[in-house]
Amino acid sequence: MVNKQKVLIVDDDNNIAELISLYLTKECFETMIVYDGESVMGAIASFDPNLILLDLMLPGIDGYQVCREVRARYAMPIIMLSAKGEVFDKVLGLELGADDYMEKPFDTKELVARVKAVLRRYKPASEPKPQSSDESVEYPDLTINRTNYAVTYMGRNVDMPPKELELLYFLASSPNHVYTREQLLDQIWGYEYMGDTRTVDVHIKRLREKIKDHEYWKISTIWGIGYKFEVKK
């Protein structure tokens, strides 16, 4: 028997939370609801969700802070839910580690579709992967290993969510090749992704904060086009 995938719903609006739970349950997901930010970490420990639906406007600890705390310890995907539709709010949510962002009010069927799409893209670091020489790329002071989802930079391990690592690995696997943002979205997030190209920019920004430019290589912006992993010949 296949185990059901679990979704933790974090929303202080009982009606919305119950409606989301109802639709997800019909799609054979197991759900758990918590109504405030303070309960999230305990719920994760007891429920072990595959994905979190996180409302931003929570009593006490808001969704942004909850996202920070979750990302500091866990890598499961997070979809933020918010009535705030400004670009700043979306970018901030993505920068803090959210995998997707939906504005309220939303269509429940679309929400379910996004949950499924995000879960299809997500592969936990503990998932067994085939051993292959193609699963690792090395440069001076940088090793990216997609077999065990590990990055070593300047002799130390760097914590990196799966999508950041996959983006870095993809770019570094084709040095000096320029990719458009649309191509990177297709390759890393999949054609079903319903976000926009700003997602790529946010992930590149996070990578640059963790992996600084090196004497022999760097992540370069090609203005108006996209990005490349530039290697000096």
Side-chain angles (χ1 to χ4, degrees):
M1 181 177 178
V2 178
N3 291 330
K4 291 183 178 180
Q5 291 186 297
K6 300 177 181 180
V7 178
L8 177 62
I9 303 165
V10 187
D11 199 313
D12 64 328
D13 187 318
N14 181 66
N15 292 329
I16 291 177
E18 292 289 349
L19 181 63
I20 293 172
S21 178
L22 175 64
Y23 272 82
L24 288 173
T25 301
K26 286 182 178 179
E27 294 294 326
C28 296
F29 288 96
E30 185 177 346
T31 65
M32 178 178 182
I33 301 172
V34 296
Y35 300 100
D36 57 73
E38 288 87 347
S39 304
V40 172
M41 299 307 285
I44 292 174
S46 61
F47 186 57
D48 190 22
N50 300 100
L51 180 144
I52 300 173
L53 290 173
L54 177 62
D55 183 40
L56 289 182
M57 305 302 290
L58 295 169
I61 303 175
D62 67 19
Y64 291 122
Q65 182 59 35
V66 171
C67 188
R68 288 190 190 95
E69 293 180 7
V70 172
R71 272 291 164 265
R73 294 178 56 186
Y74 301 100
M76 77 276 289
I78 298 171
I79 299 178
M80 282 188 170
L81 309 175
S82 177
K84 297 181 177 181
E86 299 297 324
V87 171
F88 169 81
D89 298 301
K90 294 180 180 179
V91 172
L92 179 57
L94 292 169
E95 286 182 336
L96 292 175
D99 296 85
D100 202 352
Y101 188 108
M102 286 194 71
E103 295 178 36
K104 291 182 176 180
F106 48 77
D107 182 88
T108 312
K109 291 182 180 179
E110 180 185 352
L111 176 62
V112 173
R114 291 204 187 197
V115 167
K116 291 180 178 179
V118 169
L119 285 171
R120 279 196 298 270
R121 296 192 305 267
Y122 176 69
K123 293 181 176 59
S126 59
E127 180 178 299
K129 298 177 176 64
Q131 297 292 327
S132 168
S133 58
D134 294 334
E135 294 293 301
S136 178
V137 292
E138 294 186 25
Y139 292 95
D141 298 316
L142 177 67
T143 301
I144 310 154
N145 192 318
R146 204 170 59 172
T147 300
N148 58 5
Y149 270 54
V151 175
T152 303
Y153 169 63
M154 303 296 287
R156 60 181 179 83
N157 293 327
V158 179
D159 291 331
M160 197 170 287
K163 281 293 172 275
E164 286 181 29
L165 186 145
E166 290 169 14
L167 178 58
L168 178 61
Y169 177 87
F170 182 76
L171 289 170
S173 296
S174 300
N176 297 319
H177 185 104
V178 178
Y179 290 97
T180 67
R181 291 170 174 82
E182 290 79 9
Q183 287 174 325
L184 292 172
L185 273 178
D186 287 345
Q187 290 292 329
I188 308 304
W189 283 266
Y191 69 90
E192 302 125 325
Y193 185 66
M194 301 175 186
D196 57 34
T197 55
R198 190 178 298 272
T199 300
V200 176
D201 298 333
V202 170
H203 281 71
I204 291 289
K205 179 174 181 281
R206 287 191 216 151
L207 284 173
R208 285 173 169 159
E209 290 172 351
K210 299 174 182 179
I211 307 292
K212 307 298 183 183
D213 288 352
H214 192 274
E215 179 182 1
Y216 298 105
W217 50 262
K218 65 179 179 178
I219 300 172
S220 296
T221 300
I222 310 302
W223 296 108
I225 301 177
Y227 300 96
K228 71 174 179 179
F229 190 86
E230 184 176 345
V231 177
K232 292 185 179 180
K233 297 180 180 179

